[in-house]
Amino acid sequence: MIFTLFVLLFFLPTNVWADDFTTSGDGVNNLFFSTIAFSGSDIPSNCSTPGCVEYDPSSVSYTPTDVVLSNGMVPLVGFGGMRRLPSLADRVSLPPGATVDLIYLYSNETGHPVDIGRILVPLTKNDINQGNLLNLVEISQKEVTYSFVDVVFNNKLVRREGYLLEYEGVGLVGSGSVGGIKLGSVRLKNPLKISQVEANRNQESGDILITFQLENSSPEYLIGISIAHHSYTEEFDMPAFSSRDIVYSLDLEHTDIGQIKIYNSNRKVECATLGGNYYAWTYSGAASVLSFRQDGGWINGAYLQPVVEGFCVERIPYAMYSEGIFISTSTAGEDDVEKEEHSVAGISSSLKVLPKTGTLNYFIFLFIVVDGYLWYSFIKGLRKYEREDNNTRVCSEDCENPNKGRV
């Protein structure tokens, strides 16, 4: 009887998986391997016109997105997929405006299909004060929140926390399948912003007065920010989240006065991962990515080893340019009146020429003059007549008799 049961259990088909993660939920039994890669795309044009930035091309460093996807996961990992090799598609050095693509790479060696429902990409270290990509990049159409995930490994809870960017999973991955997918992108921010640019000519001196505001919207202290505009140059530091009003004059005759150049020499690097010692599988800060297996729970992707920083974004030095600045003029008759700046009740407005609320009609003017002259002649004649007839008497026949009085 026992022999018969043994034969039935041994030869009847059963749902036995190659890894035991489904029943244990322990990452030590996981054979679905994954990692993340950083690649570059949409690098801004290197020029000195509005809408692009100027930078040293030799400072730019990244792996193109199509190269990462075509090479796959194998060149980036070791220890059978458990270890993430450092300095391979895990860092970029780019100017503001460039795009960093987030690539998810995987290999299914479980012996059965695995459904990946969710993916989390760490944007910070466990201690966000030690590394935070959000200081350098901006994310559109996605909200990033501070959270944590507990992963079981060798019967221990391994917690990964910080700002975790969540994406929809890759779905059902067949046994033995390898591949990769672009999850999304983040863009390098420009910490400097030019606003409220005004240019007005002083009619007495002929100089052009330039005013604008420069803002540092980042948490970093920017050292040696420089401004150049024709003969004007200035250099100064800008504390975090500060703004500065810039005012200067230019001795120029033409109305097209070009662009303002702002140069930021500060390099800034932020990293989302700190590697751990070899075989330190319970150190959560080294996990490159997290995946949710529908058949058992969260698993950590390949661990960055040895102890080095990885998944880094660097902003390189760059120059930015304002829009073109012009001194505008308007015509009043045959004279060009320069633009002047007026302030009324705290509201600044540019007034070129006062509005014409009425025009002079010469026929009406002539009528008024002639009419006035006629009235003047009439009144003058009337007064003369009154003077001539003053003390005039109308008498009767006996008016010469003083006793009869006057009528």
Side-chain angles (χ1 to χ4, degrees):
M1 183 64 179
I2 297 177
F3 178 76
T4 303
L5 290 175
F6 176 79
V7 171
L8 290 174
L9 291 172
F10 187 84
F11 288 102
L12 286 178
T14 58
N15 293 328
V16 178
W17 304 129
D19 68 348
D20 192 37
F21 181 78
T22 298
T23 56
S24 68
D26 194 322
V28 75
N29 298 313
N30 170 60
L31 294 177
F32 183 91
F33 303 107
S34 60
T35 190
I36 201 77
F38 285 0
S39 60
S41 65
D42 295 335
I43 313 302
S45 300
N46 187 5
C47 57
S48 58
T49 58
C52 62
V53 293
E54 193 174 31
Y55 52 90
D56 181 1
S58 64
S59 297
V60 175
S61 176
Y62 66 94
T63 304
T65 298
D66 55 349
V67 173
V68 174
L69 289 172
S70 62
N71 290 342
M73 178 178 174
V74 174
L76 307 180
V77 296
F79 298 166
M82 289 287 290
R83 178 196 173 204
R84 179 61 161 86
L85 303 178
S87 303
L88 294 176
D90 73 333
R91 59 192 65 220
V92 296
S93 298
L94 298 167
T99 296
V100 181
D101 294 333
L102 309 178
I103 310 299
Y104 181 74
L105 303 166
Y106 59 85
S107 174
N108 182 6
E109 300 178 22
T110 63
H112 61 85
V114 173
D115 190 356
I116 303 298
R118 296 158 66 192
I119 297 170
L120 293 176
V121 179
L123 296 179
T124 67
K125 296 177 182 177
N126 282 340
D127 181 354
I128 64 174
N129 295 316
Q130 299 300 315
N132 187 351
L133 297 185
L134 294 177
N135 291 332
L136 281 179
V137 303
E138 57 186 355
I139 302 167
S140 60
Q141 302 178 344
K142 263 192 179 297
E143 183 178 352
V144 185
T145 58
Y146 188 94
S147 58
F148 65 88
V149 174
D150 287 331
V151 176
V152 179
F153 194 94
N154 200 21
N155 294 318
K156 295 180 180 179
L157 280 181
V158 178
R159 173 166 291 186
R160 185 65 162 102
E161 59 184 316
Y163 285 98
L164 307 174
L165 186 56
E166 182 171 343
Y167 290 97
E168 183 179 350
V170 293
L172 198 64
V173 179
S175 176
S177 296
V178 296
I181 184 175
K182 174 184 170 181
L183 295 175
S185 302
V186 297
R187 188 176 297 275
L188 267 74
K189 295 186 291 189
N190 185 350
L192 296 177
K193 179 182 178 182
I194 301 175
S195 62
Q196 303 177 24
V197 180
E198 295 182 1
N200 302 287
R201 190 181 295 279
N202 187 314
Q203 293 189 359
E204 294 182 0
S205 66
D207 291 345
I208 300 172
L209 181 67
I210 309 294
T211 63
F212 67 93
Q213 186 177 80
L214 185 64
E215 179 185 357
N216 175 16
S217 61
S218 74
E220 57 184 301
Y221 191 99
L222 300 177
I223 300 174
I225 298 298
S226 64
I227 300 176
H229 190 199
H230 291 286
S231 60
Y232 172 76
T233 60
E234 184 179 3
E235 186 173 308
F236 49 83
D237 298 344
M238 293 198 72
F241 303 113
S242 67
S243 62
R244 185 184 182 95
D245 293 325
I246 311 296
V247 181
Y248 57 93
S249 295
L250 296 175
D251 182 10
L252 297 173
E253 295 183 357
H254 45 82
T255 58
D256 178 1
I257 57 176
Q259 301 167 279
I260 304 167
K261 178 181 178 180
I262 311 292
Y263 181 66
N264 182 3
S265 61
N266 295 268
R267 288 179 178 267
K268 178 66 174 177
V269 182
E270 293 280 358
C271 300
T273 306
L274 178 62
N277 295 322
Y278 289 111
Y279 309 105
W281 310 121
T282 57
Y283 171 56
S284 64
S288 57
V289 70
L290 295 95
S291 307
F292 185 79
R293 284 179 56 167
Q294 301 283 29
D295 60 346
W298 287 103
I299 55 173
N300 282 328
Y303 292 73
L304 184 67
Q305 296 174 352
V307 183
V308 292
E309 288 189 312
F311 301 98
C312 305
V313 174
E314 179 185 29
R315 187 195 66 230
I316 63 175
Y318 65 96
M320 59 183 289
Y321 292 83
S322 71
E323 298 290 333
I325 305 173
F326 295 86
I327 300 294
S328 61
T329 60
S330 62
T331 303
E334 296 180 354
D335 297 328
D336 286 339
V337 181
E338 292 288 355
K339 182 178 177 181
E340 295 182 1
E341 187 70 14
H342 298 263
S343 178
V344 180
I347 302 175
S348 292
S349 61
S350 295
L351 183 62
K352 298 178 181 178
V353 183
L354 289 174
K356 297 180 180 180
T357 57
T359 56
L360 181 63
N361 191 312
Y362 290 98
F363 293 102
I364 295 176
F365 176 76
L366 181 62
F367 174 79
I368 292 173
V369 172
V370 173
D371 184 66
Y373 177 79
L374 292 175
W375 275 105
Y376 172 80
S377 299
F378 173 76
I379 293 171
K380 183 176 180 181
L382 181 63
R383 289 179 176 177
K384 179 178 179 182
Y385 174 77
E386 288 178 349
R387 285 195 303 271
E388 290 175 353
D389 293 336
N390 193 22
N391 298 323
T392 300
R393 296 166 176 78
V394 179
C395 302
S396 62
E397 293 178 357
D398 300 326
C399 64
E400 293 180 358
N401 188 349
N403 298 322
K404 292 183 179 181
R406 299 172 185 174
V407 178

